[in-house]
Amino acid sequence: MSDAKIPKRILDKDLDKFANVEEAAGFLSRSLIAPGLALLFLASAGIFASLYVFGEPRATIVIAAAAIAGYMALNIGANDVANNVGPAVGARAITMGGALVMAAVAETAGALLAGGEVVETIANGIIFPDAVADPNVFIRLMVAALIASALWIHLSTWLRAPVSTTHAIVGAVVGAGAAAAGLSAVNWLSMGAITASWMLSPLLGGAIAAALLAFVESMVIYQDDKIAAARRWVPLLIATMAGAFAAYLATLGIGKVVTLANSTVAAIGIGCFLAAWVAFHRIVGRQSRGLENRNQSLRHLFVIPLIISAGLLSFAHGANDVANAVGPLAAIVYAAGTGEVAAEAAVPFWVMLIGALGISVGLLLFGPRLIRIVGAEITKLNPVRAFCIALSTALTVIVASWLGMPVSTTHIAVGSVFGVGFYREWAAIRSIRRRAYLQRKQEILSPATIEAEPVAPPPTTNLLAGGKKGSQQEIIRRRLVRRAHVRTIVAAWVTTVPASAVLAALFFYLLRSAS
């Protein structure tokens, strides 16, 4: 080896090291962009609040609370909104970028247009107001609740677990309220009823989603003439979605602006159902012309309704769940300005704006992480399955609202995803209609054209018991529902209320000792 080649080789190695350093620095800087923009938003929220409260009593605590409420809103956007658009993204009905923009616009519009001018200051009446009549104690309670719930949601997002932001804030209020005034300050009877409804809602959502998917498979997918069956049933399904979402928006989307009786909500839903049924008979008939008699053709008929449902879910979510961030802040602003504690408080526009923009910014910066979990990693979705999930979410919320049950849309939406996945596991092994359909395909079609689906073994196989590694039931189980995500999400659901409560109690004690 010549002397001239040795320096060149050393130089090449040095240049490679510089290139690696530059690449690592670029990667690190990209990973810091989102946190940097989030911090900029929080600082802007505090500055924005100071324009309205500077010079007023307790202005400092209000400015700090505005930044904390902005942090809470960021976490709501990063975690909760994934349930609205995740199925549509997982089904490839819309791209990730398109879903983020659509959801951000819909969330902001829902919060600002239908978020309400008055919110409850103590979530769901779980704390007796007389127990925290001192405004200084009340302000510390709400600040502690905001910090605790926001931190728990942040941790859950980092762990890739979609949780209920309503659960987090309610648990935090319980913990801070108990720390402030003792366990007797908590309305345990109301809390017990709320907890029971939270446990039932994901089961109800999952059952409805599974029943819808079973209906679609039985009446459309497993029919010999799929296109004729689609012309008959798809308009009915889309009309049901239109009616359900009309009632959903009337119940939650604008319920804080205009109070509507159940009969009025029902009339709105029925009217939209009939109008959509007439319209989509023509639309589906036109779309289905020339389509091949295969499952892939059917999925195109559900794409547009699925995208619309994702936008409507986001609008209703913005209108309803923005209160989880702005409710405590509005209560703090009212108590700081008047020196009184009220069961309800008016929401200044600047407070609502912080909540609305915070949800959208959090979604745009951090939302893709959980959107992928909900839409693609729990179970495989297509437009038909995602449509069943969206419709199940709306139907379950409507039923629960009419029954007077406070529910979590997060639990319902994710429960619907679980319901679809577990139904597919059951159907892959035990569905008689599915086996008959596959048998007909084998008799009619050549093996090369048969869709690659696992052929069901005899129904005596116990799917839930699993099977030996590599066995068919084990392959189906691992392919259809990822148990690791199920365990993580359910564990996060179970621990959200107690964890938020403990954190809030600790922060309340810290705030009290600091003052």
Side-chain angles (χ1 to χ4, degrees):
M1 182 178 295
S2 65
D3 294 339
K5 291 183 178 180
I6 295 175
K8 183 177 184 302
R9 186 177 60 184
I10 295 174
L11 179 61
D12 289 341
K13 287 184 178 181
D14 291 340
L15 290 175
D16 287 340
K17 291 178 182 179
F18 280 116
N20 291 335
V21 170
E22 289 178 358
E23 183 179 355
F27 178 80
L28 181 61
S29 63
R30 286 195 300 271
S31 66
L32 294 177
I33 289 176
L37 292 175
L39 290 175
L40 180 62
F41 172 78
L42 298 184
S44 301
I47 295 171
F48 187 58
S50 68
L51 300 177
Y52 291 88
V53 301
F54 186 77
E56 295 184 5
R58 303 183 179 93
T60 303
I61 190 64
V62 171
I63 294 171
I68 298 169
Y71 176 52
M72 175 67 169
L74 286 175
N75 284 287
I76 292 174
N79 191 293
D80 222 10
V81 185
N83 310 300
N84 305 326
V85 299
V89 174
R92 299 183 180 179
I94 188 172
T95 64
M96 177 68 77
L100 290 174
V101 173
M102 179 191 69
V105 172
E107 290 277 344
T108 303
L112 295 180
L113 299 179
E117 297 180 354
V118 176
V119 296
E120 293 182 359
T121 61
I122 300 181
N124 291 302
I126 57 175
I127 297 293
F128 295 114
D130 294 341
V132 285
D134 185 341
N136 293 318
V137 174
F138 181 76
I139 289 172
R140 286 196 292 269
L141 185 158
M142 284 298 175
V143 171
L146 273 176
I147 297 173
S149 55
L151 285 175
W152 176 254
I153 298 168
H154 192 155
L155 176 62
S156 300
T157 304
W158 181 73
L159 294 173
R160 307 175 77 189
V163 297
S164 169
T165 56
T166 305
H167 288 203
I169 192 65
V170 167
V173 170
V174 167
L183 295 176
S184 60
V186 181
N187 186 344
W188 293 109
L189 183 63
S190 174
M191 191 62 192
I194 292 169
T195 303
S197 67
W198 284 342
M199 295 172 62
L200 292 174
S201 59
L203 298 177
L204 182 59
I208 293 176
L212 287 170
L213 182 57
F215 176 84
V216 173
E217 288 184 344
S218 176
M219 304 308 295
V220 181
I221 293 175
Y222 293 160
Q223 297 296 313
D224 292 332
D225 190 344
K226 303 176 190 295
I227 303 304
R231 293 192 183 110
R232 183 184 309 114
W233 291 109
V234 171
L236 178 64
L237 290 168
I238 296 176
T240 303
M241 185 199 75
F245 271 100
Y248 180 94
L249 292 175
T251 302
L252 287 184
I254 60 174
K256 295 183 179 181
V257 178
V258 179
T259 302
L260 300 175
N262 287 344
S263 58
T264 304
V265 173
I268 292 172
I270 293 172
C272 290
F273 169 85
L274 295 174
W277 195 11
V278 172
F280 276 93
H281 260 299
R282 298 180 179 179
I283 295 173
V284 171
R286 185 168 57 250
Q287 287 181 330
S288 61
R289 291 174 188 167
L291 291 180
E292 297 182 29
N293 188 37
R294 53 198 297 262
N295 291 344
Q296 189 64 37
S297 300
L298 299 176
R299 294 165 186 167
H300 294 299
L301 303 177
F302 289 93
V303 169
I304 293 177
L306 180 58
I307 294 173
I308 295 173
S309 69
L312 294 176
L313 279 172
S314 297
F315 181 91
H317 178 270
N320 190 58
D321 280 21
V322 70
N324 292 334
V326 304
L329 178 58
I332 292 169
V333 172
Y334 182 87
T338 64
E340 299 176 356
V341 176
E344 293 184 341
V347 183
F349 177 76
W350 66 268
V351 171
M352 187 64 75
L353 191 61
I354 289 175
L357 293 180
I359 291 176
S360 297
V361 172
L363 169 66
L364 293 171
L365 294 179
F366 308 106
R369 183 184 182 90
L370 282 187
I371 288 175
R372 294 188 186 97
I373 294 290
V374 174
E377 297 188 18
I378 296 175
T379 190
K380 184 179 180 181
L381 298 178
N382 59 32
V384 176
R385 297 167 195 153
F387 177 88
C388 293
I389 291 168
L391 180 53
S392 171
T393 302
L395 289 174
T396 306
V397 170
I398 292 167
V399 171
S401 298
W402 284 349
L403 294 176
M405 297 168 53
V407 294
S408 164
T409 53
T410 299
H411 283 201
I412 293 171
V414 178
S416 298
V417 176
F418 289 162
V420 163
F422 286 119
Y423 167 77
R424 292 178 63 216
E425 285 190 355
W426 176 88
I429 297 295
R430 301 175 184 274
S431 174
I432 297 175
R433 185 179 293 274
R434 181 178 183 277
R435 289 201 301 273
Y437 166 72
L438 292 176
Q439 183 64 36
R440 291 198 306 272
K441 289 181 66 175
Q442 289 174 349
E443 293 173 356
I444 297 173
L445 303 176
S446 64
T449 61
I450 297 176
E451 294 183 4
E453 296 184 76
V455 179
T460 56
T461 304
N462 184 0
L463 176 66
L464 295 180
K468 294 182 179 179
K469 185 175 181 181
S471 65
Q472 184 184 41
Q473 60 264 39
E474 175 68 10
I475 292 171
I476 293 173
R477 181 184 72 80
R478 293 180 63 186
R479 183 171 68 86
L480 298 188
V481 179
R482 294 187 63 179
R483 294 313 197 260
H485 288 316
V486 175
R487 288 191 293 268
T488 301
I489 291 170
V490 172
W493 285 359
V494 172
T495 55
T496 289
V497 171
S500 299
V502 171
L503 284 174
L506 291 175
F507 280 113
F508 178 83
Y509 288 132
L510 289 174
L511 290 172
R512 187 171 64 180
S513 62
S515 60

